[in-house]
Amino acid sequence: MTKETSNRFAFIDNVVSWEGQINTSHIAKKFNLSRQSASHILKQYREQFPQLLRYDLSSKAFVATTEFDQKINGHHFSNYLEAISSNNNSFIEGVDVWALEVEAPLRNINPIQVRPILRAIREKLAIDIGYISLSNPDYLDRIIQPHTLIFDGLRWHVRAYCNKKQAYRDFTLSRFNGHAVFEGKAKNTVNEDEKWNIFVDVVIEADPRLNPQQKRVIEQDFQMTDGQKIMSIRAAFVNYLLRRLHIDSYKNTPEEQQIVLSRESRKNISMYLPIPL
């Protein structure tokens, strides 16, 4: 199967998973094809997976079979939103869409400034580059040994060993500037980054101040089992996850708080936070 065919089959999977059906209009609009070509792609898919789709005359579309529904566990809604977007990030014209994603103002990243950082990661080099922070609003030279880029949902960071602090830190990618100088091979790599290589369980549960009925709503929202949701993540990501879940601070009312860390989880992850919970 070619990469092009694989991408088109993945598109069909995403649309059928969430809408329960697909027709040639979806495919023609997405890939800028004629209706005949789109029909041929659907025919190829059905020949490859004959048990997954059946034609429904009333809706004039191919609908998911029971066999299809049994294999869709693990599909993410974000993948569906991406699938039904065209190349210019707008939703497919002529195809009904009932979901939109709120776009946050992402931090501007200068490709020219990022290039040397990417080279340092790729070639495992130390790099001397200007960086600003809230404590130092003027650009100061920092020698770092980067190993990975991280996106926290709003902005990009680079995970690196900081020669000044003699520790692994996350640097905001949009705050780099100035001429970069390579300082030879990195001596502190991803293998020595303890927080990166340790995985911890972040366990959330409904706020105990909620009544039983409200707790059941929250447990359903977060797909909890036995009143808890367990997420295994790198220790370096703990703070980002708590921010995205809005549990990095305690709210005044249970309706606003909704979820909290379990007591045991709070104890286990406190050492990985800048400020203990």
Side-chain angles (χ1 to χ4, degrees):
M1 184 185 299
T2 66
K3 183 177 181 180
E4 181 181 67
T5 301
S6 179
N7 289 338
R8 290 171 175 178
F9 282 10
F11 172 76
I12 294 173
D13 281 339
N14 270 303
V15 172
V16 177
S17 292
W18 294 100
E19 296 188 21
Q21 64 181 34
I22 194 169
N23 56 38
T24 54
S25 295
H26 286 92
I27 301 170
K29 296 289 186 180
K30 172 66 178 180
F31 299 105
N32 194 26
L33 299 171
S34 67
R35 193 171 287 271
Q36 183 179 2
S37 297
S39 180
H40 178 68
I41 293 170
L42 266 174
K43 180 181 178 182
Q44 285 182 304
Y45 182 93
R46 290 167 54 229
E47 288 174 347
Q48 184 77 21
F49 310 106
Q51 74 281 14
L52 299 185
L53 299 178
R54 63 174 178 82
Y55 188 73
D56 182 73
L57 189 60
S58 61
S59 60
K60 296 181 179 179
F62 289 93
V63 300
T65 63
T66 302
E67 287 84 355
F68 184 97
D69 290 342
Q70 290 174 346
K71 79 176 191 72
I72 63 174
N73 287 338
H75 282 222
H76 294 286
F77 194 57
S78 58
N79 292 337
Y80 164 68
L81 294 178
E82 182 179 351
I84 62 174
S85 297
S86 61
N87 292 333
N88 63 0
N89 292 326
S90 60
F91 287 97
I92 300 173
E93 182 181 355
V95 175
D96 291 334
V97 175
W98 301 274
L100 292 174
E101 185 174 1
V102 177
E103 294 186 8
L106 301 181
R107 312 299 174 90
N108 183 45
I109 299 175
N110 186 337
I112 304 300
Q113 301 300 334
V114 175
R115 285 178 189 171
I117 296 173
L118 291 177
R119 178 187 169 189
I121 293 174
R122 185 173 59 252
E123 300 181 18
K124 296 180 173 60
L125 300 172
I127 186 173
D128 188 339
I129 190 170
Y131 186 76
I132 57 173
S133 64
L134 295 179
S135 57
N136 292 292
D138 297 321
Y139 281 101
L140 297 176
D141 287 342
R142 289 284 189 101
I143 298 178
I144 62 172
Q145 301 171 49
H147 66 71
T148 309
L149 296 183
I150 305 167
F151 185 62
D152 68 1
L154 285 177
R155 56 184 180 176
W156 282 95
H157 307 265
V158 58
R159 182 77 176 172
Y161 182 84
C162 176
N163 285 23
K164 179 182 177 180
K165 298 293 185 180
Q166 295 190 340
Y168 287 92
R169 299 290 179 89
D170 292 349
F171 295 90
T172 304
L173 207 53
S174 59
R175 294 180 180 175
F176 286 100
N177 204 347
H179 182 66
V181 177
F182 294 102
E183 299 286 344
K185 283 294 184 181
K187 297 179 180 178
N188 297 276
T189 68
V190 65
N191 296 327
E192 289 77 44
D193 189 345
E194 182 179 355
K195 286 186 179 180
W196 185 264
N197 293 299
I198 291 177
F199 282 78
V200 297
D201 286 342
V202 175
V203 184
I204 60 172
E205 54 193 20
D207 189 315
R209 294 175 293 175
L210 295 169
N211 63 45
Q213 292 79 12
Q214 290 173 319
K215 286 182 180 179
R216 282 197 293 271
V217 173
I218 299 301
E219 290 169 1
Q220 179 176 310
D221 279 348
F222 289 89
Q223 300 176 343
M224 296 182 183
T225 302
D226 296 328
Q228 292 185 330
K229 177 73 173 182
I230 303 173
M231 294 159 284
S232 180
I233 64 168
R234 297 183 188 274
F237 292 173
V238 166
N239 202 36
Y240 297 138
L241 178 60
L242 298 192
R243 288 178 184 175
R244 294 199 69 174
L245 292 173
H246 303 293
I247 54 175
D248 52 324
S249 60
Y250 198 59
K251 312 301 188 302
N252 291 328
T253 66
E255 289 79 12
E256 184 181 8
Q257 181 72 38
Q258 296 193 8
I259 57 173
V260 297
L261 290 168
S262 71
R263 185 183 300 274
E264 187 67 22
S265 179
R266 182 188 298 269
K267 176 182 176 182
N268 291 339
I269 70 174
S270 62
M271 67 185 75
Y272 301 116
L273 296 173
I275 301 175
L277 294 174

